Amino acid sequence: SILSTNMIGLSDFYTGAFPAEYGASLSGIFDLKFRNGNNQQREYAFQAGVLGMEFAAEGPFKKGYDGSYLINYRYSTFALMDQLNFEISQNALPNYQDLSYKINLPTKRAGTFSLWAIGGMGDDDEKYLPDSTTSENPENGYRDYTRTGMYAMGLSHTIFPDDQSYLKTVVSHSMSGSTNHYYQMDSLGILHTNWYDEMQNKAFRISTLYNRKVSSKHTLRAGLIYNNLNYSYFAEQAEADWTLSPVLNSDGSTMLFQGYLQGKYKFTEKVLMTAGLHYAYFHQSRDHSLEPRLGLQIELPKRQKLSFGFGHHSKNENLPVYFVEQQGDDGSLFMPNLDLKMIRSTHYVAGYDLMFGKDMHFKLETYYQ
């Protein structure tokens, strides 16, 4: 995983019927949060495992200031051993590296700013090259090289207008992409490109939420999210004479707007209800979705809990689906999927939770979707 345990703070995992503040997902939500670095003293960590070697550093910027930094870098153990000429494998080896950081900058009057990022890249080189001096068939030879990468980076700002509320805004940019280069060997033992493709997805997002504690029993939260989404995809394939012809060459972009309003209400110390509405508008197909969400949690004796959830959810397809081109009978090109509506899903969830001591719990959930 590109996520290091050195970076992760308290995070939420929703396995269905998640609250109204989360959208553009049909199954579950993993809301991952980076922890702040130690703002009292500098610390360093190094660890090595079968999959990766990892270095982390954290600490304060200066004495008397609550700001901190946290950074983590990891490199593939197998790739490092391969570079040192250890015989690990005769074929493909996982080769990757990743970097994560969070810089926390509190101020006296302007709130707290956080700069954060996570990114990584890796490649996989699989090949079979027959020996031309033996009886091996050269036409069975191939090389399949795949390279992948992603990053997400942003600026978060949190400010407390008063003791009962806070406002949080996040501006972020993310990218994920991959390339695949497949070579095929001919009868003379020469490698030729048989297939090449390159795909990239990018997103620019602005989100803001306002949270207010109305009373000791009642909390309200409202938010808006703007997503600018775009992609590019190119692919070419070899003809019989090994010349390359384009198969796909397309790009597209669109916008997704989201808004939500939700409240939490404690009927008693043991009964908590969460209710809200999530709204989504997908600009590509001019599709609207209004999604009610409801959750109920009941604490029972002996550290037991019952939970119930209901929710409507929606999600747009991956962007390349909308811009698929087909050729009509008259030879013209058209895109039949431009107006595809978002996928809809309805969740019903019931759960039971039992705590054992301080560090362990048993959870049983049943779903109807």
Side-chain angles (χ1 to χ4, degrees):
S1 170
I2 199 171
L3 293 163
S4 169
T5 55
N6 287 328
M7 297 291 298
I8 301 301
L10 293 175
S11 301
D12 295 318
F13 183 42
Y14 300 97
T15 50
F18 34 87
E21 63 184 289
Y22 302 106
S25 182
L26 293 179
S27 52
I29 293 287
F30 208 160
D31 188 359
L32 295 161
K33 300 178 179 69
F34 282 172
R35 67 180 179 88
N36 292 331
N38 189 332
N39 61 5
Q40 301 298 317
Q41 63 181 15
R42 289 183 172 84
E43 295 183 305
Y44 304 93
F46 174 78
Q47 58 188 33
V50 175
L51 295 180
M53 304 182 71
E54 196 165 346
F55 175 78
E58 61 182 296
F61 288 105
K62 62 180 182 179
K63 189 175 182 180
Y65 177 55
D66 289 336
S68 63
Y69 64 87
L70 172 64
I71 185 168
N72 191 92
Y73 174 76
R74 180 168 43 188
Y75 190 80
S76 166
T77 302
F78 289 139
L80 184 62
M81 295 179 70
D82 186 56
Q83 293 175 16
L84 296 174
N85 294 321
F86 287 93
E87 183 70 25
I88 305 299
S89 170
Q90 295 181 352
N91 210 313
L93 275 174
N95 178 30
Y96 58 85
Q97 54 186 317
D98 56 68
L99 175 71
S100 304
Y101 68 81
K102 182 180 181 181
I103 299 173
N104 193 52
L105 302 170
T107 66
K108 291 183 178 180
R109 297 182 179 180
T112 299
F113 295 85
S114 294
L115 287 166
W116 52 269
I118 181 171
M121 55 186 178
D123 61 69
D124 182 79
D125 195 1
E126 181 182 348
K127 53 192 172 185
Y128 168 63
L129 305 177
D131 188 347
S132 58
T133 62
T134 66
S135 58
E136 293 180 283
N137 187 353
E139 293 178 323
N140 291 333
Y142 71 94
R143 182 187 178 194
D144 190 359
Y145 180 74
T146 302
R147 186 174 180 85
T148 59
M150 68 79 62
Y151 71 79
M153 58 191 304
L155 172 66
S156 303
H157 175 247
T158 305
I159 191 168
F160 292 81
D162 53 51
D163 294 339
Q164 304 298 318
S165 63
Y166 67 88
L167 181 69
K168 182 176 182 179
T169 303
V170 182
V171 179
S172 67
H173 189 272
S174 61
M175 185 279 296
S176 63
S178 66
T179 61
N180 176 244
H181 209 149
Y182 184 78
Y183 304 85
Q184 188 74 43
M185 189 173 283
D186 63 17
S187 57
L188 300 177
I190 301 174
L191 282 174
H192 300 271
T193 297
N194 182 266
W195 172 270
Y196 174 79
D197 71 5
E198 182 175 353
M199 187 171 188
Q200 193 173 88
N201 288 282
K202 294 181 179 179
F204 172 74
R205 294 183 172 90
I206 302 175
S207 67
T208 184
L209 71 86
Y210 176 73
N211 190 93
R212 183 164 188 84
K213 187 175 181 180
V214 180
S215 68
S216 60
K217 293 185 176 182
H218 190 199
T219 303
L220 282 176
R221 176 173 292 187
L224 295 171
I225 307 169
Y226 165 75
N227 306 265
N228 185 286
L229 313 169
N230 63 77
Y231 91 102
S232 61
Y233 186 54
F234 173 77
E236 55 185 1
Q237 190 170 20
E239 304 290 350
D241 59 355
W242 300 111
T243 60
L244 295 172
S245 298
V247 177
L248 288 169
N249 187 11
S250 64
D251 57 78
S253 64
T254 189
M255 293 172 287
L256 173 66
F257 301 92
Q258 296 166 270
Y260 60 87
L261 175 65
Q262 73 178 37
K264 289 184 179 180
Y265 189 80
K266 282 187 175 182
F267 292 98
T268 69
E269 289 298 318
K270 299 183 180 298
V271 180
L272 173 66
M273 183 182 73
T274 304
L277 280 174
H278 185 95
Y279 170 77
Y281 172 70
F282 185 57
H283 183 69
Q284 175 60 44
S285 55
R286 308 294 196 274
D287 190 15
H288 300 259
S289 178
L290 188 62
E291 304 160 10
R293 314 281 177 83
L294 181 65
L296 183 66
Q297 181 177 286
I298 304 171
E299 291 190 24
L300 301 176
K302 298 181 180 180
R303 307 180 72 187
Q304 302 175 89
K305 289 182 183 179
L306 288 177
S307 59
F308 305 92
F310 162 81
H312 287 301
H313 308 274
S314 67
K315 187 180 187 301
N316 56 284
E317 295 277 6
N318 290 327
L319 289 194
V321 173
Y322 296 94
F323 301 98
V324 167
E325 291 184 347
Q326 290 189 357
Q327 190 171 20
D329 296 335
D330 59 355
S332 62
L333 294 176
F334 68 102
M335 297 180 182
N337 295 342
L338 285 177
D339 298 324
L340 278 181
K341 303 297 183 183
M342 291 184 286
I343 309 171
R344 262 73 167 180
S345 176
T346 302
H347 294 184
Y348 301 88
V349 182
Y352 170 77
D353 198 304
L354 174 62
M355 289 293 298
F356 295 95
K358 295 181 179 180
D359 305 321
M360 187 178 299
H361 72 102
F362 169 79
K363 190 170 186 178
L364 175 67
E365 289 189 324
T366 155
Y367 306 86
Y368 177 76
Q369 179 173 330

